[in-house]
Amino acid sequence: GENVEQHPSTLSVQEGDSAVIKCTYSDSASNYFPWYKQELGKRPQLIIDIRSNVGEKKDQRIAVTLNKTAKHFSLHITETQPEDSAVYFCAASRGANYGGSQGNLIFGKGTKLSVKP
Amino acid sequence: DGGITQSPKYLFRKEGQNVTLSCEQNLNHDAMYWYRQDPGQGLRLIYYSQIVNDFQKGDIAEGYSVSREKKESFPLTVTSAQKNPTAFYLCASSTRQEAFFGQGTRLTVV
């Protein structure tokens, strides 16, 4: 089955710096890669996703890149702010192109990002 | 607020007792999931269901059981066979596009 590795487990940056979180996956059939943000005491929420037919996607200060050959994808946050402090989870699934219900989302172990003012 | 509701928010269980966590969604999603979250362990899949009356074991199913009699409901029972049940439990439902999480249930064995 799919295995998703996420690094680093903790990341501390100064406000205004960039943060990069990397994930690798094992199943070459995976084609959908979302990123979730979990603020303290709250549920994880989707912040950005990418599908295997796209190499990069941006949404304001966040971007995700995908390298299908190497089977890794990364989250990039620029101009970090204290409110970016949270746990970030990457995930992978086969669900993007499968008919019917979503393929199972397999999550990485999470990265705790701390942005220091 | 996402249309998926978990209850209760906090739950205390005595050793040797079974306890059931509720998960209800009104999003008309076929797929539902239960995850366990421990500090430093991320999200680990316990059980999942992609259609009514069908469910599959995830990575850490031992000591847990589920049912999927209705599309809207996917309750999780933590049995006395689960050796270390104290954790934060998250339920989710999904389309092909996105997973929506409940607010979670924090289970403590006392």
Side-chain angles (χ1 to χ4, degrees), chain A residues 32 36 38 43-46 49 51 89 95-110, chain B residues 1-2 4 30-31 33 35 37 40-43 45 48 50 88 90 94-99 101-103:
Chain A
Y32 176 64
Y36 286 79
Q38 186 179 26
R43 70 188 80 187
Q45 293 195 307
L46 180 71
D49 58 14
R51 300 176 190 284
F89 293 96
N97 297 323
Y98 273 57
S101 58
Q102 171 82 358
N104 296 326
L105 277 171
I106 304 300
F107 286 87
K109 291 188 175 182
Chain B
D1 195 16
I4 181 164
D30 286 317
Y33 308 81
Y35 294 94
Q37 187 173 29
Q41 294 292 319
L43 297 171
L45 183 63
Y48 63 96
Q50 295 187 337
F88 187 58
L90 279 164
S94 74
T95 65
R96 291 192 294 163
Q97 316 296 326
E98 183 176 353
F101 287 86
Q103 290 183 309

Side-chain angles (χ1 to χ4, degrees), chain A residues 38-43, chain B residues 1 4-13 19-24 34-35 37 85-91 102-109:
Chain A
Q38 186 179 26
E39 296 177 357
L40 189 62
K42 296 186 178 180
R43 70 188 80 187
Chain B
D1 195 16
I4 181 164
T5 303
Q6 286 185 245
S7 61
K9 190 173 182 180
Y10 298 97
L11 188 58
F12 296 89
R13 189 194 92 175
V19 64
T20 297
L21 284 60
S22 171
C23 179
E24 303 279 332
W34 273 105
Y35 294 94
Q37 187 173 29
T86 295
F88 187 58
Y89 292 87
L90 279 164
C91 178
Q103 290 183 309
T105 294
R106 188 166 297 281
L107 173 64
T108 303
V109 173

Side-chain angles (χ1 to χ4, degrees), chain B residues 21-66:
Chain B
L21 284 60
S22 171
C23 179
E24 303 279 332
Q25 54 102 357
N26 60 4
L27 301 168
N28 200 35
H29 290 166
D30 286 317
M32 297 187 73
Y33 308 81
W34 273 105
Y35 294 94
R36 170 176 171 148
Q37 187 173 29
D38 295 285
Q41 294 292 319
L43 297 171
R44 293 188 289 169
L45 183 63
I46 305 173
Y47 267 97
Y48 63 96
S49 169
Q50 295 187 337
I51 197 168
V52 175
N53 292 322
D54 185 60
F55 49 83
Q56 305 295 330
K57 292 181 179 180
D59 298 323
I60 56 165
E62 186 175 353
Y64 300 97
S65 66
V66 293

Side-chain angles (χ1 to χ4, degrees), chain B residues 56-87:
Chain B
Q56 305 295 330
K57 292 181 179 180
D59 298 323
I60 56 165
E62 186 175 353
Y64 300 97
S65 66
V66 293
S67 62
R68 189 80 187 279
E69 296 177 0
K70 299 186 299 182
K71 191 175 187 179
E72 302 80 17
S73 179
F74 191 41
L76 174 74
T77 297
V78 184
T79 75
S80 56
Q82 169 50 235
K83 301 302 182 188
N84 184 23
T86 295

